[in-house]
Amino acid sequence: MMVSNETLELLKQSSSATLTSVLRKKGFKNTFMHRVAPLNPGSKMAGPAFTLRYIPAREDLDIEPLDNLTDMQRVGIEQIQAGDVFVIDAREDTRAGTMGSILAARIRVRGAVGVVTDGAYRDSPTIAESGLPAYAAAMNAHTNKTIHHPSEIQIPVACGGVAVFPGDIVVGDGEGVVVMPPQLASEVAEEALEMELRESFILTKVQDGAMLSGTYPADEGTLAEYEQWKQDRASD
Amino acid sequence: MMVSNETLELLKQSSSATLTSVLRKKGFKNTFMHRVAPLNPGSKMAGPAFTLRYIPAREDLDIEPLDNLTDMQRVGIEQIQAGDVFVIDAREDTRAGTMGSILAARIRVRGAVGVVTDGAYRDSPTIAESGLPAYAAAMNAHTNKTIHHPSEIQIPVACGGVAVFPGDIVVGDGEGVVVMPPQLASEVAEEALEMELRESFILTKVQDGAMLSGTYPADEGTLAEYEQWKQDRASD
Amino acid sequence: MMVSNETLELLKQSSSATLTSVLRKKGFKNTFMHRVAPLNPGSKMAGPAFTLRYIPAREDLDIEPLDNLTDMQRVGIEQIQAGDVFVIDAREDTRAGTMGSILAARIRVRGAVGVVTDGAYRDSPTIAESGLPAYAAAMNAHTNKTIHHPSEIQIPVACGGVAVFPGDIVVGDGEGVVVMPPQLASEVAEEALEMELRESFILTKVQDGAMLSGTYPADEGTLAEYEQWKQDRASD
Amino acid sequence: MMVSNETLELLKQSSSATLTSVLRKKGFKNTFMHRVAPLNPGSKMAGPAFTLRYIPAREDLDIEPLDNLTDMQRVGIEQIQAGDVFVIDAREDTRAGTMGSILAARIRVRGAVGVVTDGAYRDSPTIAESGLPAYAAAMNAHTNKTIHHPSEIQIPVACGGVAVFPGDIVVGDGEGVVVMPPQLASEVAEEALEMELRESFILTKVQDGAMLSGTYPADEGTLAEYEQWKQDRASD
Amino acid sequence: MMVSNETLELLKQSSSATLTSVLRKKGFKNTFMHRVAPLNPGSKMAGPAFTLRYIPAREDLDIEPLDNLTDMQRVGIEQIQAGDVFVIDAREDTRAGTMGSILAARIRVRGAVGVVTDGAYRDSPTIAESGLPAYAAAMNAHTNKTIHHPSEIQIPVACGGVAVFPGDIVVGDGEGVVVMPPQLASEVAEEALEMELRESFILTKVQDGAMLSGTYPADEGTLAEYEQWKQDRASD
Amino acid sequence: MMVSNETLELLKQSSSATLTSVLRKKGFKNTFMHRVAPLNPGSKMAGPAFTLRYIPAREDLDIEPLDNLTDMQRVGIEQIQAGDVFVIDAREDTRAGTMGSILAARIRVRGAVGVVTDGAYRDSPTIAESGLPAYAAAMNAHTNKTIHHPSEIQIPVACGGVAVFPGDIVVGDGEGVVVMPPQLASEVAEEALEMELRESFILTKVQDGAMLSGTYPADEGTLAEYEQWKQDRASD
């Protein structure tokens, strides 16, 4: 299912905290990746997941030189589409990298908007500098093949304890990564934006000294005030 | 690739310690599952792996009543062949069971010779009593769907930190579970049996007071003694 | 809220696996303690929780000789009522015991029907032999005061990752410990018993060769068969 | 027991390393929170603890909309006094946030000087930017209610493996958080300041090439030198 | 320092719980190994530590065939004296065994009274059956060389989070392993025996219905009763 | 074995990712420290290891005032040579610091080029500011003696799961720390530099749009291009 660029742009305007709240109201309670953090605090991305799954390495599986036509990591990278987020299931094992700076560069050239792993990156300082939004559980210079064998692409994976299906919408900010089914993306984006707006209004009120009671959650009076504020704002 | 029953019987006559040693000599160093233990100390099994892979549960995926025709755990169980070992990749997450006693009974009726998970079982006391060799990282009464969604059958999986491909030969004893590619099974079985015999000879010598030096590893003299002992034994 | 002895007896006739399933249907999905196992595989208990909460030890808090009139662990033990289960929140820290054999004996004399901790016991072999159902995450000979300070009794606690309120019904079997609000105990007991019966019928069918489809979950035909079987059984 | 602002100001002039050393000399060896780090490296705070304790969430406990008059997190926040440090016991469970930016803002408006949790914050980038000293074990966008139920305020808690009583003095710097009983605060502050001064003298000597022997710990000669330096400094 | 056989025999008559309590009174608070358990619940042993230390394996260090004259594990085993307890520092890494059944047999023939590791054994079922008291954190069939390189013998080691010096007295029972400096062994043995006796008296009183207050800890009255009981017992 | 300054300078010009790759080709697969990160992202260092090994603290071992002539941490620091990297085995235990800012200053004055621990530092903000490259698993203000006893210097140690022998070459960058035997340092330095050059060529090509196939790994055509580029570059 295609999610429009407009929706993806809207999703990037909400924080991962707001998005998880909206998803929770829709019954999805396990949507934020555990122990996966941005390499750069200012990261921001949104796009459909392109998944890669690692299993534990076995000595006979990954013989050098690596063959770009059969190695599933490489095959996957050459299939990534513009706008995708590359999501790597590394079984939360950080004893080796899952990717280095050259592959990250190729991913970027192909138009991907971010990379996510619940393992580690190698060359992580270079990846961080490159500007590609990148999320991981650790840094590790060891090449993937010591610990990880690339097994499949574009199947459902686990990443940071969250289920990620190919095409799921993956949104990252300075806090981490949230995942949602694509059919929910549009309504989540809109509800989140509304919630962001309402919460920014509430935040201002709180900063101005309002008590929590009546303000957060907003009671009828506060909601009316908010609607008025929104209207005033719109008519500016 | 088919492995003969004779080979499987031979494999059961060797300990998992001997099998990992033989595999190590062939270059396979990560073949024993980590943190996976038998429910019964006297367990013994060998057979080809039939794999099931769980990913993290998501609220919309597993709606009750469960449909045996689409739920991959159930679909898999009804495809298991006589002699198989059912291997479940639970991402080492023990916060819920991966299977209970009724499914274990069905697996047994279908002729499977063992079950393995790097998660937990529910009804584990009943499974333990049933006599079906069963290996797990823990016991947990919660049903799988709280934490796990059955995603695929018969694809490569990670179990206890070891890669397991469908058809890989899985051998279990009172220590745990070892995995090997099927094309190695026959030679591993024979070399392991020879190693078991040699080590039982060495063990007797050590119990009789032999020093390690010259005995373990065996030097030429000890090896000659061993060959003589083997010959005497054969001619009895 | 008082739960009748009859209900407690019924609860003991169901497995923790069945109880968690019934609770799950009522919306309670986190009811089984994680990483807490019985000292004796044959353990069985049910009763209201009497809670003790430990916080980290501080050198000025627990001066010897310990005063039975102010030490909250001791105060609590002398308030336990017949039928209670003593539940200790040890923050899953197993670096010291939470109780030894003399206190376990006192708890038993007071009529408690079990003890549970997400920490460790000291004198655990003696406690195991005593016959008092006891559940823990480990064995550790160190006395509690090295690591733990008894802070409160009879307040809500965390044990094995589960919320336990004073008076919650705590049921243990050979798999572990399940917790439920007392107002649910009676209906859970009855539904669980019915489920146990139905599943024992299903188990027999599966052992006799029935496929999962139509049997588990039971379709209308199987349910009718089951009702007939129940009726026949009742009229025996 | 009240601790003066002057003492709190003095405490902020010492590092957490110096404070733990002084406390250790007084017999307190477990005073620094484990795995709790500042969101901002330049953080600095000191004040009495206002405590909140979470237990594991249960589905019936936290019904939306949340009621500010009964939800203990909210009740607590509205009771925080100017100068307090808000300390949250989250059982070191980082699978959800313990608080977000709006509540952090309210806490700040109420005059609190810092927030500490051994769990995670949501909206952590916003909290970090707000300038409120904030310490946590992780970032997690999930709302607290997924995992945590606010159970009590102002009771003794565990935070980062350290006992924290309401009113305990909590001091944070770029390394982390140290906790001490209020009755010790004044003398700890003074001894720490003296130790800071002495160690800055020693550090200068070491940077100028002094060997450790005679210098650190300071022997009589070095101490005399130090006293002279202090006197000279005072008379400047 | 030599510890007499009589002292060792006395130590075996006390539980590890009693021994840690006596050691704690002498200021030693970290004497019981964490996460190290007996292979057989009925285990009992006491003797001076003979230590082996593993570091992480490196591919060039352990070339096959292994040389008994230079491999420090083997060198150590051939130096063990009758009565020793073999203590292996495996950095709590259980990804491989630290020893198998043939070496355990050699250790036993040499007169050692037990083996302890904070790693794993391979051939653990065989070691368990052999009757040699054996303690470990896990079972793992992989040979040590995959993960561990034997680096030194008879130097101070860490085992289960406890410092163990060569010659330290190591006592094991069904709960686990306690370590003490040899110069304390004799007085610890005697005080522990007295404590065991007193606690068995107290346990009987508690089983007969005595309240904790006045009994445990024993007040003057109880102590007098105990002295009388001891005297009566002695004169039987 | 002495490694020339020129070699050390070359090693600093390669990333830890490149160095682990070159070492892997030589058969060394476990050379990068796990969970050890730089205090400053821009860190860079190379030098021979000077090792210190901690064991768990015991109450009688470290009496104050500490004696610089017998405390092995202090003895070691005064033996460090210019150019050394101080490597501390803390058993990955971060419950206390392994060193503070004054000792770090002394180490720096002695000419050491970096410090590494798999435990924590205290005064870590001051150490970070000092400019001395420093790597650790955490920050912790507690002094080492609470948890750690300095046992030996200049023996083989484990650090971050890697074997480190005295004199091994330790190289650190913004990703972490890699260790190699000194006899390999020179050839590793040269091969790594060549690999860095080749990969920077490949990276440019990839950034310019080259597909992975034929480029990474480089096929004959790409290698020829690269050789030409190198030649052109040299003749500039």
Side-chain angles (χ1 to χ4, degrees), chain D residues 20-43:
Chain D
T20 56
S21 288
V22 172
L23 284 161
R24 190 170 189 258
K25 282 180 189 145
K26 297 182 184 302
F28 292 81
K29 295 176 183 171
N30 184 34
T31 58
F32 185 81
M33 291 184 188
H34 195 208
R35 297 196 197 101
V36 171
L39 257 56
N40 284 315
S43 297

mmCIF file of all heavy atoms in Angstrom, chain D residues 20-43:
data_model
loop_
_atom_site.group_PDB
_atom_site.id
_atom_site.type_symbol
_atom_site.label_atom_id
_atom_site.label_comp_id
_atom_site.label_asym_id
_atom_site.label_seq_id
_atom_site.Cartn_x
_atom_site.Cartn_y
_atom_site.Cartn_z
ATOM 1 N N THR D 20 30.687 11.174 46.461
ATOM 2 C CA THR D 20 30.660 9.746 46.821
ATOM 3 C C THR D 20 31.847 9.393 47.699
ATOM 4 O O THR D 20 31.728 8.558 48.595
ATOM 5 C CB THR D 20 30.672 8.827 45.576
ATOM 6 O OG1 THR D 20 31.808 9.140 44.796
ATOM 7 C CG2 THR D 20 29.410 8.976 44.749
ATOM 8 N N SER D 21 33.001 10.025 47.467
ATOM 9 C CA SER D 21 34.173 9.738 48.301
ATOM 10 C C SER D 21 33.937 10.177 49.737
ATOM 11 O O SER D 21 34.270 9.462 50.689
ATOM 12 C CB SER D 21 35.414 10.464 47.762
ATOM 13 O OG SER D 21 35.836 9.857 46.564
ATOM 14 N N VAL D 22 33.385 11.362 49.904
ATOM 15 C CA VAL D 22 33.110 11.853 51.256
ATOM 16 C C VAL D 22 32.077 10.950 51.938
ATOM 17 O O VAL D 22 32.230 10.564 53.105
ATOM 18 C CB VAL D 22 32.630 13.326 51.214
ATOM 19 C CG1 VAL D 22 32.163 13.774 52.598
ATOM 20 C CG2 VAL D 22 33.740 14.228 50.693
ATOM 21 N N LEU D 23 31.042 10.582 51.212
ATOM 22 C CA LEU D 23 30.019 9.702 51.784
ATOM 23 C C LEU D 23 30.609 8.344 52.143
ATOM 24 O O LEU D 23 30.250 7.740 53.155
ATOM 25 C CB LEU D 23 28.853 9.534 50.791
ATOM 26 C CG LEU D 23 27.932 10.756 50.734
ATOM 27 C CD1 LEU D 23 27.098 10.748 49.454
ATOM 28 C CD2 LEU D 23 27.016 10.793 51.962
ATOM 29 N N ARG D 24 31.520 7.871 51.324
ATOM 30 C CA ARG D 24 32.148 6.572 51.599
ATOM 31 C C ARG D 24 32.897 6.620 52.926
ATOM 32 O O ARG D 24 32.869 5.668 53.704
ATOM 33 C CB ARG D 24 33.085 6.223 50.458
ATOM 34 C CG ARG D 24 33.574 4.802 50.541
ATOM 35 C CD ARG D 24 34.303 4.395 49.278
ATOM 36 N NE ARG D 24 34.556 2.974 49.346
ATOM 37 C CZ ARG D 24 35.730 2.448 49.650
ATOM 38 N NH1 ARG D 24 36.767 3.226 49.867
ATOM 39 N NH2 ARG D 24 35.883 1.128 49.728
ATOM 40 N N LYS D 25 33.580 7.730 53.159
ATOM 41 C CA LYS D 25 34.309 7.868 54.431
ATOM 42 C C LYS D 25 33.351 7.830 55.609
ATOM 43 O O LYS D 25 33.732 7.472 56.719
ATOM 44 C CB LYS D 25 35.112 9.168 54.433
ATOM 45 C CG LYS D 25 36.391 9.025 53.626
ATOM 46 C CD LYS D 25 37.215 10.298 53.612
ATOM 47 C CE LYS D 25 38.355 10.142 52.590
ATOM 48 N NZ LYS D 25 38.654 11.397 51.912
ATOM 49 N N LYS D 26 32.121 8.207 55.381
ATOM 50 C CA LYS D 26 31.115 8.171 56.446
ATOM 51 C C LYS D 26 30.382 6.836 56.482
ATOM 52 O O LYS D 26 29.387 6.682 57.208
ATOM 53 C CB LYS D 26 30.121 9.320 56.257
ATOM 54 C CG LYS D 26 30.779 10.677 56.362
ATOM 55 C CD LYS D 26 29.800 11.816 56.226
ATOM 56 C CE LYS D 26 30.547 13.143 56.251
ATOM 57 N NZ LYS D 26 31.360 13.359 57.475
ATOM 58 N N GLY D 27 30.828 5.889 55.668
ATOM 59 C CA GLY D 27 30.252 4.546 55.724
ATOM 60 C C GLY D 27 29.173 4.263 54.689
ATOM 61 O O GLY D 27 28.601 3.172 54.678
ATOM 62 N N PHE D 28 28.913 5.223 53.794
ATOM 63 C CA PHE D 28 27.861 5.033 52.780
ATOM 64 C C PHE D 28 28.515 4.693 51.443
ATOM 65 O O PHE D 28 29.124 5.549 50.820
ATOM 66 C CB PHE D 28 27.007 6.294 52.665
ATOM 67 C CG PHE D 28 26.181 6.559 53.880
ATOM 68 C CD1 PHE D 28 26.734 7.167 55.016
ATOM 69 C CD2 PHE D 28 24.850 6.164 53.929
ATOM 70 C CE1 PHE D 28 25.966 7.389 56.155
ATOM 71 C CE2 PHE D 28 24.082 6.389 55.059
ATOM 72 C CZ PHE D 28 24.643 7.003 56.186
ATOM 73 N N LYS D 29 28.369 3.455 51.030
ATOM 74 C CA LYS D 29 29.128 2.976 49.873
ATOM 75 C C LYS D 29 28.301 2.786 48.610
ATOM 76 O O LYS D 29 28.835 2.445 47.565
ATOM 77 C CB LYS D 29 29.794 1.643 50.232
ATOM 78 C CG LYS D 29 30.829 1.805 51.321
ATOM 79 C CD LYS D 29 31.413 0.470 51.730
ATOM 80 C CE LYS D 29 32.396 0.681 52.876
ATOM 81 N NZ LYS D 29 32.850 -0.581 53.465
ATOM 82 N N ASN D 30 27.010 2.959 48.709
ATOM 83 C CA ASN D 30 26.160 2.726 47.536
ATOM 84 C C ASN D 30 25.272 3.949 47.351
ATOM 85 O O ASN D 30 24.083 3.939 47.643
ATOM 86 C CB ASN D 30 25.311 1.459 47.748
ATOM 87 C CG ASN D 30 24.478 1.128 46.526
ATOM 88 O OD1 ASN D 30 24.909 1.353 45.394
ATOM 89 N ND2 ASN D 30 23.280 0.613 46.744
ATOM 90 N N THR D 31 25.863 5.024 46.845
ATOM 91 C CA THR D 31 25.173 6.320 46.809
ATOM 92 C C THR D 31 25.035 6.893 45.400
ATOM 93 O O THR D 31 24.360 7.900 45.209
ATOM 94 C CB THR D 31 25.952 7.347 47.655
ATOM 95 O OG1 THR D 31 27.294 7.432 47.130
ATOM 96 C CG2 THR D 31 26.021 6.924 49.107
ATOM 97 N N PHE D 32 25.681 6.261 44.431
ATOM 98 C CA PHE D 32 25.643 6.791 43.058
ATOM 99 C C PHE D 32 24.766 5.890 42.196
ATOM 100 O O PHE D 32 24.947 4.684 42.161
ATOM 101 C CB PHE D 32 27.063 6.856 42.488
ATOM 102 C CG PHE D 32 27.146 7.493 41.125
ATOM 103 C CD1 PHE D 32 27.159 8.876 40.990
ATOM 104 C CD2 PHE D 32 27.209 6.715 39.984
ATOM 105 C CE1 PHE D 32 27.235 9.473 39.733
ATOM 106 C CE2 PHE D 32 27.289 7.302 38.711
ATOM 107 C CZ PHE D 32 27.304 8.683 38.598
ATOM 108 N N MET D 33 23.828 6.486 41.493
ATOM 109 C CA MET D 33 22.895 5.686 40.691
ATOM 110 C C MET D 33 23.597 5.009 39.514
ATOM 111 O O MET D 33 24.323 5.657 38.777
ATOM 112 C CB MET D 33 21.756 6.569 40.170
ATOM 113 C CG MET D 33 20.843 7.043 41.268
ATOM 114 S SD MET D 33 19.446 7.979 40.584
ATOM 115 C CE MET D 33 18.722 8.587 42.127
ATOM 116 N N HIS D 34 23.299 3.729 39.364
ATOM 117 C CA HIS D 34 23.902 2.921 38.322
ATOM 118 C C HIS D 34 23.082 3.039 37.044
ATOM 119 O O HIS D 34 21.865 2.936 37.085
ATOM 120 C CB HIS D 34 23.952 1.452 38.799
ATOM 121 C CG HIS D 34 24.855 0.571 37.990
ATOM 122 N ND1 HIS D 34 24.662 -0.763 37.849
ATOM 123 C CD2 HIS D 34 25.971 0.855 37.291
ATOM 124 C CE1 HIS D 34 25.614 -1.280 37.091
ATOM 125 N NE2 HIS D 34 26.420 -0.326 36.737
ATOM 126 N N ARG D 35 23.732 3.246 35.926
ATOM 127 C CA ARG D 35 23.098 3.292 34.594
ATOM 128 C C ARG D 35 22.113 4.457 34.437
ATOM 129 O O ARG D 35 21.198 4.382 33.625
ATOM 130 C CB ARG D 35 22.356 1.984 34.297
ATOM 131 C CG ARG D 35 23.254 0.771 34.234
ATOM 132 C CD ARG D 35 22.550 -0.400 33.564
ATOM 133 N NE ARG D 35 23.254 -1.627 33.870
ATOM 134 C CZ ARG D 35 22.873 -2.504 34.792
ATOM 135 N NH1 ARG D 35 21.789 -2.311 35.494
ATOM 136 N NH2 ARG D 35 23.589 -3.591 35.016
ATOM 137 N N VAL D 36 22.293 5.527 35.197
ATOM 138 C CA VAL D 36 21.460 6.723 35.050
ATOM 139 C C VAL D 36 22.380 7.861 34.616
ATOM 140 O O VAL D 36 23.346 8.162 35.313
ATOM 141 C CB VAL D 36 20.758 7.069 36.388
ATOM 142 C CG1 VAL D 36 20.061 8.422 36.304
ATOM 143 C CG2 VAL D 36 19.760 5.966 36.754
ATOM 144 N N ALA D 37 22.118 8.456 33.472
ATOM 145 C CA ALA D 37 23.028 9.467 32.921
ATOM 146 C C ALA D 37 22.272 10.749 32.595
ATOM 147 O O ALA D 37 21.056 10.732 32.403
ATOM 148 C CB ALA D 37 23.706 8.932 31.658
ATOM 149 N N PRO D 38 22.989 11.870 32.554
ATOM 150 C CA PRO D 38 22.326 13.137 32.242
ATOM 151 C C PRO D 38 21.930 13.217 30.769
ATOM 152 O O PRO D 38 22.667 12.742 29.907
ATOM 153 C CB PRO D 38 23.397 14.185 32.563
ATOM 154 C CG PRO D 38 24.697 13.471 32.430
ATOM 155 C CD PRO D 38 24.425 12.039 32.819
ATOM 156 N N LEU D 39 20.785 13.841 30.486
ATOM 157 C CA LEU D 39 20.418 14.107 29.095
ATOM 158 C C LEU D 39 21.360 15.163 28.501
ATOM 159 O O LEU D 39 21.710 15.086 27.332
ATOM 160 C CB LEU D 39 18.963 14.617 29.019
ATOM 161 C CG LEU D 39 17.907 13.620 28.555
ATOM 162 C CD1 LEU D 39 17.895 12.370 29.406
ATOM 163 C CD2 LEU D 39 16.521 14.239 28.540
ATOM 164 N N ASN D 40 21.767 16.120 29.329
ATOM 165 C CA ASN D 40 22.713 17.146 28.901
ATOM 166 C C ASN D 40 24.002 17.003 29.692
ATOM 167 O O ASN D 40 23.953 16.990 30.927
ATOM 168 C CB ASN D 40 22.146 18.547 29.167
ATOM 169 C CG ASN D 40 21.102 18.928 28.160
ATOM 170 O OD1 ASN D 40 21.282 18.736 26.968
ATOM 171 N ND2 ASN D 40 19.990 19.450 28.658
ATOM 172 N N PRO D 41 25.156 16.946 29.015
ATOM 173 C CA PRO D 41 26.415 16.768 29.751
ATOM 174 C C PRO D 41 26.676 17.871 30.778
ATOM 175 O O PRO D 41 27.293 17.629 31.809
ATOM 176 C CB PRO D 41 27.487 16.762 28.651
ATOM 177 C CG PRO D 41 26.805 17.138 27.380
ATOM 178 C CD PRO D 41 25.334 17.002 27.565
ATOM 179 N N GLY D 42 26.195 19.083 30.536
ATOM 180 C CA GLY D 42 26.512 20.172 31.460
ATOM 181 C C GLY D 42 25.575 20.283 32.653
ATOM 182 O O GLY D 42 25.609 21.277 33.379
ATOM 183 N N SER D 43 24.743 19.278 32.891
ATOM 184 C CA SER D 43 23.735 19.369 33.952
ATOM 185 C C SER D 43 24.344 19.533 35.340
ATOM 186 O O SER D 43 25.432 19.028 35.612
ATOM 187 C CB SER D 43 22.866 18.107 33.938
ATOM 188 O OG SER D 43 22.167 17.994 32.732
#
